Each structure stands twice: as structure tokens, then as C-alpha cells.
Amino acid sequence: MATSRNFVKLLSWALLSETLTGFTLSTTTSLNNHHHHHRYNAGIQTPSSSTSQLHMSLKPAAMPLMDSGKALARSGEFMVDLTNGLDLYGGALSASGAFVRNAGDCVAQAAASCRFKTAAELVCDELREAATCLAEATGKLELAVEEAQADKDEALARQIQGMIKPLADCSRALENAGEGIMKKTDLKNTGDSLIVCGENLKLLSSELSGLAPLNDAASSDALSAGQRMTYASEKMVEAGNELKGNKPEKPKGKGWLKG
């Protein structure tokens, strides 16, 4: 009888031990799963948070970038129009103006996308498309130089030649800006790229205005193209400064009343 009771006790302890072991394993597994679940959630929240921060950072550049894009597009239209006065309508210079106009539309569309949440990818795509259009415009300018030389118009060839480098630099700057947004790099770098683009638009505007003295019939459109390009330059630089957090200084006191 004693042996039987001892056997029952041993069996009871064995069952209890198995039950406790199972409970411990189940609890540990549950806690691990719970911990893993929280780590996973934390991981997937990061991109969303990053996208939101990126959107909020891009939004201040929306208005000046929109103004720059519109002015750039208008300047491209004047570039096309001035070829009428030069009797070159339909040539390479005219095609270059059309590409500049398309680039301005892309910049304006990028600006519109800056206002929406999770639209950083659209901003990136539009800026890089604008860069592509300006690269195409640069190629057309190179062809326009050859056309002018074939027509024995060395003055026009030299003036167009002067437009090639700043336009190419604008294209590279916008490509860098789009790439920076895509890679989620510091937006100050993207701001720097926009400022470089704006500075080269300013150089381009001077070369465009320089076409005016070459032909009276094209003078008005050349000057208008240069003026709109200058405004596009100023607003592009402003957009870059917005991304960098640089605010223009406001007049202090009542100094602004003088003059």
C-alpha cells in the first residue's frame, strides 16, 4: 500500500511539473511575441513619421517654387516667340524654348505637390523631369549654335553659346534636388541645389536679354524672356532658402519709412 501511495505521489508531481513547464513556455512565448509585435510596429512607424516630417519641410517652398515654375514656363514661351523676329521659328532655338516651357510646368507641378502629405515622391519625379527637359533644351541650344554658324551669323552663335553652360548647370542642380528628396537626405542640401539652379537662371537671363540688340524684331520678346527668367531665378533662390530655414531679415524699427 505504501508503495502504491508513493507511486501516486510521484505521478501527481510529474503531472504538476509538466503543467507548470507548459505554462511557463506558453507565457514566455506570448511575452516574446508581444515584444516582437511592438518592435515591428515601431519599425513601420518610422517611414510614415519620416514622410510626414519631409512633407512639412517641403511645404514652405511651395509658393516660391510655384512662382518660379510659372515664370520659367513663360520665359520659354517668349524664347519661342523671339525666333519669329529672328526668322528662325521652328529651328533648334525655338525647340529649346519649348523644352524650357515644359521644364517650368514640371517645376510648378512639383510645387503643387509640396502642399500634400506623402507627396515627396511626386516632388522628386517632377523636379527630375524638369531637369530632363532642361537637358534637352541644352542639346537644342548646341544645335542652334551650329545653325547660326551655318547662316554666317557669328554674333547670334556667340550669344546662344553663352546660354549653354548655365542652362546645363540648371539641369544638374534640379536633378540633384530631386535625387536628394528621393534619398531623404538633409533638406538643406536640396535647398542648396535649388539656390544653385536659381543662380544659373540669373546668368541665363542675362544671356537671353543679350539677344535683344541683335535684332529689332526680336528685341521685345528677348527682353521679356530675360525678365521672366530673372523672376524665376529670384523665386527659385527663395524656395531654396525656405528649405534651408533662411528667412529674409525684416526692417527694424521705423527705418523702412525712410526714403
Side-chain angles (χ1 to χ4, degrees):
M1 292 294 292
T3 301
S4 178
R5 284 196 298 273
N6 289 337
F7 175 77
V8 171
K9 287 181 179 180
L10 288 172
L11 182 60
S12 298
W13 277 109
L15 291 172
L16 179 60
S17 176
E18 182 178 353
T19 301
L20 290 174
T21 300
F23 174 77
T24 301
L25 289 173
S26 175
T27 303
T28 301
T29 301
S30 176
L31 288 173
N32 285 339
N33 287 340
H34 182 69
H35 178 64
H36 175 71
H37 175 70
H38 276 281
R39 285 198 305 170
Y40 177 75
N41 282 345
I44 63 174
Q45 286 171 1
T46 301
S48 175
S49 175
S50 175
T51 301
S52 177
Q53 291 174 2
L54 186 61
H55 160 65
M56 292 305 292
S57 299
L58 287 172
K59 192 173 182 179
M63 287 304 296
L65 197 61
M66 175 67 75
D67 291 339
S68 179
K70 289 180 178 179
L72 184 60
R74 190 70 182 109
S75 180
E77 291 175 351
F78 279 121
M79 284 180 66
V80 175
D81 292 342
L82 70 84
T83 59
N84 281 317
L86 295 171
D87 198 24
L88 295 173
Y89 187 80
L93 183 58
S94 180
S96 179
F99 278 116
V100 170
R101 185 196 186 288
N102 292 342
D105 287 342
C106 291
V107 171
Q109 185 56 53
S113 298
C114 284
R115 303 175 182 180
F116 298 99
K117 294 180 179 178
T118 68
E121 185 176 349
L122 293 176
V123 178
C124 166
D125 290 345
E126 292 295 342
L127 288 179
R128 299 183 82 176
E129 181 61 26
T132 299
C133 289
L134 292 183
E136 294 280 359
T138 302
K140 293 299 182 182
L141 285 182
E142 293 171 347
L143 183 57
V145 171
E146 296 177 6
E147 291 178 350
Q149 290 173 339
D151 292 338
K152 308 297 184 182
D153 193 340
E154 292 300 327
L156 179 60
R158 284 194 300 271
Q159 197 64 38
I160 297 174
Q161 182 68 48
M163 297 165 60
I164 292 175
K165 186 180 184 303
L167 190 58
D169 288 343
C170 286
S171 174
R172 282 189 289 271
L174 287 180
E175 175 65 29
N176 291 338
E179 183 180 0
I181 294 172
M182 178 185 69
K183 293 181 177 179
K184 295 184 173 66
T185 58
D186 191 337
L187 280 177
K188 289 183 179 180
N189 295 334
T190 301
D192 285 334
S193 295
L194 294 183
I195 290 172
V196 169
C197 178
E199 291 170 346
N200 280 283
L201 288 176
K202 178 63 175 176
L203 296 175
L204 184 59
S205 71
S206 297
E207 297 297 332
L208 273 172
S209 298
L211 291 171
L214 300 182
N215 187 296
D216 291 339
S219 177
S220 177
D221 287 327
L223 289 175
S224 295
Q227 290 169 356
R228 299 316 297 163
M229 191 71 75
T230 297
Y231 185 69
S233 163
E234 294 170 352
K235 303 309 286 187
M236 184 70 74
V237 170
E238 183 181 334
N241 281 322
E242 286 288 353
L243 291 186
K244 295 183 68 175
N246 297 337
K247 302 293 183 182
E249 292 186 7
K250 295 181 179 179
K252 296 179 181 179
K254 297 182 180 180
W256 59 274
L257 291 174
K258 297 179 180 179

